[in-house]
Amino acid sequence: AGLSLGTAGQAVKVNAAANALEFGTISSDFARQMKYSQSGSAIGFSSTSYSDTGLSLTFDNALKSTNSLVKITFQGVWGTTNNDCFIDFELRDAGGSKITNVVGNPNSHFGCNENESSAHMNLFGGTVMATVSSTTSIAYRPYVRRSNANGSQGYLGRDHDSSTTFPTFFMIEEYAV
């Protein structure tokens, strides 16, 4: 016949025998929260100290739980006025302190090398997972720096001569564990 109506908060799913549909609670292995930011603005940097990219996303901790993982993705294009340069990216909180709950706690959260002899631009991208150790909201802000001090200018979101700009993408997703 038909499937009887479930209760509030339930979803249609396949039963354990995999031979019929039933109402039940949704598994916790899906993203609970997704936020993203895409910027068309470019920033310049030449320092070996970290510079704020101006992008920020807040993980609201909708579960109010310390049993979540946050997947953080950051990608875009960067260019430089001199080849063979390295850049590092670091995630910081709203107060400017380095996020240390990234799985593995690496020195830099993302990195990229530009090794072209003429084009002087490269695509970067990375994804890291962070554990949630608090039930309060956390703001994630990507910071960027040059790894070597050759004095060359670097650009996030554009090529080496500023003739072309590219979007920079930043996204956070919450997963229950």
Side-chain angles (χ1 to χ4, degrees):
L3 185 62
S4 61
L5 192 59
T7 60
Q10 289 186 321
V12 176
K13 65 180 194 171
V14 176
N15 67 6
N19 61 8
L21 297 176
E22 66 183 9
F23 277 94
T25 56
I26 298 173
S27 171
S28 64
D29 61 352
F30 67 95
R32 303 278 186 158
Q33 176 180 191
M34 298 175 111
K35 294 185 177 187
Y36 72 93
S37 173
Q38 187 165 322
S39 172
S41 301
I43 66 161
F45 54 95
S46 59
S47 175
T48 56
S49 298
Y50 282 99
S51 300
D52 190 351
T53 62
L55 298 171
S56 180
L57 291 173
T58 300
F59 166 66
D60 297 327
N61 199 354
L63 297 176
K64 297 297 180 215
S65 167
T66 57
N67 254 352
S68 294
L69 279 176
V70 179
K71 178 181 170 185
I72 305 160
T73 303
F74 187 49
Q75 63 188 33
V77 168
W78 78 281
T80 180
T81 57
N82 188 12
N83 64 327
D84 196 22
C85 296
F86 297 86
I87 57 171
D88 292 326
F89 298 92
E90 180 175 282
L91 296 166
R92 295 190 179 188
D93 62 20
S97 298
K98 181 179 177 182
I99 300 289
T100 57
N101 62 336
V102 172
V103 175
N105 195 16
N107 292 331
S108 295
H109 298 136
F110 308 99
C112 186
N113 175 30
E114 200 292 301
N115 202 7
E116 275 297 317
S117 61
S118 59
H120 306 303
M121 71 178 197
N122 202 357
L123 175 68
F124 72 86
T127 299
V128 296
M129 301 297 280
T131 57
V132 176
S133 59
S134 171
T135 58
T136 60
S137 299
I138 303 168
Y140 290 97
R141 300 180 65 87
Y143 280 64
V144 62
R145 74 172 182 160
R146 297 185 66 82
S147 292
N148 54 7
N150 65 6
S152 299
Q153 183 74 14
Y155 304 99
L156 180 63
R158 69 183 198 195
D159 60 1
H160 71 289
D161 63 1
S162 194
S163 62
T164 307
T165 59
F166 302 91
T168 300
F169 182 74
F170 181 43
M171 183 171 78
I172 58 175
E173 303 166 67
E174 172 195 12
Y175 291 88
V177 292

